[in-house]
Amino acid sequence: MPLFRDEEYLRVDFEDKEEKDEALWVKCKSCEKLIFKKKLQENNHVCPNCGGYFFLTAKERIKTLVDEGSFTDKTKRIESDDPLNFVDTQAYEERVEENQTETGMFDAIIVGRGEIKVNPLVLAVMDFRFIGGSMGSVVGEQIVNGIERAVEEELPFVLVSSSGGARMQEGLLSLMQMVKTASARDLLSREKLPFISVMTYPTTAGVQASIASLGDVIIAERGALIGFAGRRVIEQTIGEDLPPDFQSSKFALDHGIVDSVVERDSMRDELAGILDFF
Amino acid sequence: MSEEKTLQELREQIEQLEALNSRNGLDLSREIDNLTEKLAEREKDTKEKLEEWDKVNLARHPDRPGSEEYLDYLMEDFYPLHGDRLIGDDGALIGGLAKYNGETVMVIAQNKGGEVEQSQQSNFGMLRSEGYRKAQRLMKLAETFQFPVLTLIDTPGAYPGKEAEERNIGGMIAKSISEMVSLEVPTVAAVIGEGGSGGAVAIGAADRVVMLENSIYSVISPEGCAAILWEDRDKADEAARALKLTAGHAQDLGIIDEIIPEGGSGAHEDFETTADNLDHSLSNHLEELENYEEDQLLAKRRKKYRSIGSFKKVMKKEQS
Ligand SMILES: [Zn+2]
């Protein structure tokens, strides 16, 4: 049975084409050891040697969480129309196209319906590769669509964030996605449907300061980066160096910002366990 | 080459061609037209660039009137409320009960402060977690007693501090947005100076949003944007233009409801005219909003924010 079934919306080729032509071995950034790629994939992209976390794409993340064959992609077939005609060192339109080609996605998020240990849910997962997972009009719209689907089908909503914040290239429209998603989020509470927010590396700025922080339950993956302002900006402001664990998952837990810190290997069990209470 | 020099050269070229044109019986009118068109475009570009950056400077002008001045002028009576009931009172956020057009309203305003000492007390308008928690408290209080909420936005952004992060400033901004967008009372927000990113929108999720003519509203400061995208903070003027952070653009994008004209060459020169215009606008919007039932109001607000965004259907080939 295929892991993913395509439906009427987005058609993403879930046969990872990159697996075919890439090197068989990858180097772990934490322990610098060469790891057999297949082994890494079997191990949820956790280094078998040191336990360091490799970065997960949205697709890979979904695979680590859902029951095999249960995920149906419901991502709407929409893409940015470059409302500001934004050009920095590169035209935004071109940047989007490049990112689409590199990732095989239309924007930085996949939304679908699936099951985690037989618990049905709507699952939205951001992808940091796509312009830093930033939230512009498309990501905002997909999140709201996911929430509305959850309300329609009376399902819990789970969002896995991996985002540097709002997408600068869409200016004020991006900033307003903070309000748009926060407003939609309320629909879930009104229907007594749980919203579980999972913060991974990174969940910062405009995304941390909106939808990601509005979960009924908020869990951080170990190794996440969670905060509003960037470390360098804060260091410049206060004129001192920050401790290495600043804005880490443990920091977030210690300061009451998240409910728990979860290992990648246990995330699926953890989510199933939480969903079971509702 | 500087922009002004380029423009000057274009003008000289056109002059030379015109001189040749009349003298030698050559027909150079096409070349002249082309260059004239090019010059006009460059001039327009230069003006737009200056306009954006000029507005950034006006919005940040040290003499630009702030929330305290407007509240003094507009409110018949103002009783400030202090504290977030947990950590302390954030001087960057002033708020409280006020009489406006004879009715009680709740005012929530970001305060940069004028003189050096006041500016320090108000942390130059950069709110900490306590400020956002205080804003939430005042919003809920307003809702309980069905007072409309008026907010004045004027902040470079939320305070990037160590304690702010320890006290979950991001989560507090999220909570403020969430509370405000769900309030069952009329809400009007006015950007009077700087609308600096998440720190501003936290008190900006209103039924009606208006901007003073020379205020700015942006997803990120032009300097921050320049540092990230151009890797050069000195490109801030270019970033300002790209970000389209003026009131005119915000209106074109459908994000604000009205641009309020300022007196003279800006609010710092003619405060009274500016404040009168603001007064007129706020009064009108409040009056209109009073016509709606609570649930109508909320439905209308939700619909407004539901529809904000700009995208298109994917038309090209299937992704692989
Ligand atoms: Zn390792």
Side-chain angles (χ1 to χ4, degrees):
Chain A
M1 197 187 338
L3 182 57
F4 294 92
R5 286 190 307 253
D6 288 338
E7 267 216 350
E8 68 272 27
Y9 296 96
L10 175 69
R11 298 189 68 83
V12 177
D13 179 9
F14 283 103
E15 297 292 318
D16 294 299
K17 65 163 186 195
E18 58 267 54
E19 280 173 26
K20 285 169 199 158
D21 44 32
E22 261 183 33
L24 286 173
W25 299 83
V26 283
K27 196 177 188 178
C28 172
K29 272 185 196 153
S30 308
C31 69
E32 304 211 316
K33 216 181 146 170
L34 281 174
I35 314 291
F36 191 42
K37 201 164 177 192
K38 197 152 179 244
K39 188 136 191 194
L40 189 67
Q41 278 159 4
E42 284 166 7
N43 203 31
N44 275 344
H45 298 261
V46 179
C47 173
N49 185 48
C50 73
Y53 285 4
F54 281 70
F55 199 79
L56 284 187
T57 67
K59 268 192 285 172
E60 287 165 348
R61 173 74 63 182
I62 292 167
K63 282 184 196 176
T64 69
L65 295 178
V66 299
D67 301 347
E68 206 177 321
S70 74
F71 190 83
T72 316
D73 197 316
K74 300 284 189 186
T75 316
K76 249 177 119 174
R77 286 184 62 104
I78 52 172
E79 62 183 347
S80 173
D81 61 359
D82 186 18
L84 267 52
N85 290 313
F86 196 99
V87 181
D88 49 89
T89 53
Q90 188 185 18
Y92 175 49
E93 203 176 4
E94 217 179 278
R95 200 183 284 271
V96 168
E97 262 185 47
E98 243 178 55
N99 277 270
Q100 287 178 331
T101 309
E102 275 167 28
T103 60
M105 298 169 70
F106 293 129
D107 210 296
I109 193 165
I110 295 177
V111 184
R113 193 189 179 288
E115 288 179 10
I116 297 181
K117 296 187 133 186
V118 213
N119 292 280
L121 78 160
V122 172
L123 177 63
V125 180
M126 296 184 184
D127 196 312
F128 187 70
R129 292 172 306 161
F130 201 109
I131 318 187
S134 54
M135 177 164 73
S137 297
V138 173
V139 169
E141 177 72 15
Q142 303 286 18
I143 290 174
V144 172
N145 261 295
I147 290 171
E148 286 169 349
R149 179 174 292 277
V151 169
E152 206 175 292
E153 300 186 25
E154 296 179 45
L155 293 173
F157 180 68
V158 174
L159 170 69
V160 182
S161 298
S162 182
S163 169
R167 186 166 299 171
M168 287 175 279
Q169 293 91 341
E170 289 181 34
L172 258 191
L173 286 165
S174 292
L175 189 67
M176 290 303 137
Q177 302 308 307
M178 295 171 72
V179 186
K180 176 170 172 167
T181 53
S183 173
R185 182 263 169 275
D186 231 44
L187 304 173
L188 293 163
S189 296
R190 275 158 202 251
E191 300 300 322
K192 298 194 166 44
L193 296 165
F195 164 30
I196 300 165
S197 172
V198 181
M199 296 181 171
T200 73
Y201 186 95
T203 301
T204 56
V207 168
Q208 197 253 342
S210 65
I211 189 68
S213 286
L214 294 171
D216 296 303
V217 178
I218 304 176
I219 47 189
E221 182 177 59
R222 178 167 70 78
L225 175 72
I226 296 163
F228 181 64
R231 167 185 284 266
R232 256 179 305 169
V233 176
I234 301 171
E235 285 178 337
Q236 278 164 12
T237 308
I238 62 173
E240 57 181 274
D241 290 345
L242 293 161
D245 78 330
F246 189 72
Q247 297 180 327
S248 68
S249 297
K250 185 171 180 305
F251 174 93
L253 184 67
D254 288 348
H255 290 94
I257 295 166
V258 299
D259 290 294
S260 59
V261 177
V262 179
E263 296 288 332
R264 183 175 290 170
D265 283 346
S266 336
M267 189 61 82
R268 183 173 138 80
D269 289 342
E270 188 93 1
L271 285 171
I274 296 167
L275 289 172
D276 202 43
F277 288 108
F278 290 95
Chain B
M1 194 188 317
S2 82
E3 192 62 29
E4 197 38 54
K5 217 172 151 195
T6 313
L7 290 175
Q8 196 48 43
E9 278 185 8
L10 273 171
R11 286 185 200 113
E12 279 166 16
Q13 272 179 33
I14 293 170
E15 265 173 41
Q16 282 168 5
L17 284 176
E18 274 170 345
L20 279 174
N21 200 19
S22 51
R23 214 182 296 154
N24 298 343
L26 288 166
D27 185 16
L28 297 170
S29 52
R30 245 182 71 188
E31 284 81 356
I32 293 170
D33 284 351
N34 279 344
L35 277 180
T36 310
E37 200 177 303
K38 199 170 155 192
L39 175 67
E41 254 173 50
R42 292 285 296 238
E43 278 176 338
K44 190 166 161 270
D45 277 0
T46 311
K47 188 160 168 278
E48 272 173 13
K49 190 167 169 179
L50 282 176
E51 271 179 4
E52 297 281 344
W53 189 242
D54 281 347
K55 297 229 162 166
V56 173
N57 287 323
L58 276 173
R60 294 171 173 172
H61 197 286
D63 297 331
R64 189 170 175 82
S67 288
E68 277 176 319
E69 282 103 313
Y70 287 109
L71 294 183
D72 261 359
Y73 189 86
L74 298 177
M75 300 298 146
E76 290 132 38
D77 202 0
F78 175 52
Y79 187 80
L81 298 170
H82 292 284
D84 69 340
R85 297 292 186 267
L86 188 67
I87 303 283
D89 186 45
D90 189 339
L93 187 101
I94 49 178
L97 299 161
K99 287 278 183 200
Y100 185 54
N101 297 327
E103 305 277 343
T104 301
V105 297
M106 181 65 79
V107 227
I108 298 172
Q110 287 163 334
N111 177 37
K112 281 186 174 173
E115 303 301 313
V116 177
E117 203 180 304
Q118 293 161 332
S119 298
Q120 279 166 352
Q121 261 175 26
S122 64
N123 202 27
F124 306 93
M126 293 183 286
L127 275 68
R128 300 174 158 88
S129 312
E130 296 85 288
Y132 293 108
R133 213 161 29 237
K134 175 175 167 186
Q136 292 156 34
R137 183 193 142 220
L138 301 191
M139 287 177 200
K140 294 309 272 184
L141 177 58
E143 190 176 46
T144 305
F145 295 94
Q146 292 292 295
F147 302 143
V149 173
L150 285 181
T151 70
L152 300 181
I153 294 171
D154 192 13
T155 180
Y159 183 60
K162 182 165 177 274
E163 267 181 4
E165 295 291 328
E166 288 166 350
R167 293 172 186 169
N168 194 17
I169 189 156
M172 288 306 104
I173 290 172
K175 187 88 195 307
S176 292
I177 297 172
S178 164
E179 293 282 12
M180 188 167 186
V181 81
S182 308
L183 278 182
E184 292 182 344
V185 291
T187 52
V188 181
V191 185
I192 58 165
E194 271 185 282
S197 72
V201 80
I203 62 163
D207 293 314
R208 300 282 167 86
V209 182
V210 300
M211 279 177 81
L212 287 186
E213 188 185 358
N214 296 317
S215 64
I216 56 170
Y217 201 0
S218 184
V219 66
I220 183 169
S221 73
E223 289 82 1
C225 182
I228 297 169
L229 293 181
W230 279 265
E231 293 178 34
D232 180 1
R233 286 182 86 82
D234 293 341
K235 292 280 196 311
D237 59 342
E238 215 168 306
R241 188 156 60 138
L243 285 165
K244 297 199 163 38
L245 40 59
T246 62
H249 288 306
Q251 193 175 43
D252 290 345
L253 292 169
I255 285 162
I256 62 162
D257 300 281
E258 193 186 350
I259 300 172
I260 300 162
E262 297 182 17
S265 65
H268 61 289
E269 277 195 356
D270 187 350
F271 170 70
E272 281 196 15
T273 306
T274 310
D276 285 338
N277 291 344
L278 178 63
D279 185 17
H280 188 69
S281 166
L282 294 178
S283 302
N284 279 347
H285 286 294
L286 273 183
E287 203 184 309
E288 278 176 41
L289 293 170
E290 301 276 346
N291 292 326
Y292 295 103
E293 299 292 325
E294 276 166 39
D295 49 346
Q296 266 184 318
L297 196 68
L298 204 60
K300 222 172 138 58
R301 193 189 303 144
R302 291 217 188 279
K303 202 172 151 198
K304 162 183 159 168
Y305 286 106
R306 173 69 186 83
S307 67
I308 290 186
S310 184
F311 45 79
K312 61 184 181 198
K313 269 192 94 122
V314 176
M315 299 306 276
K316 56 190 166 207
K317 64 174 172 53
E318 300 293 297
Q319 301 284 303
S320 62

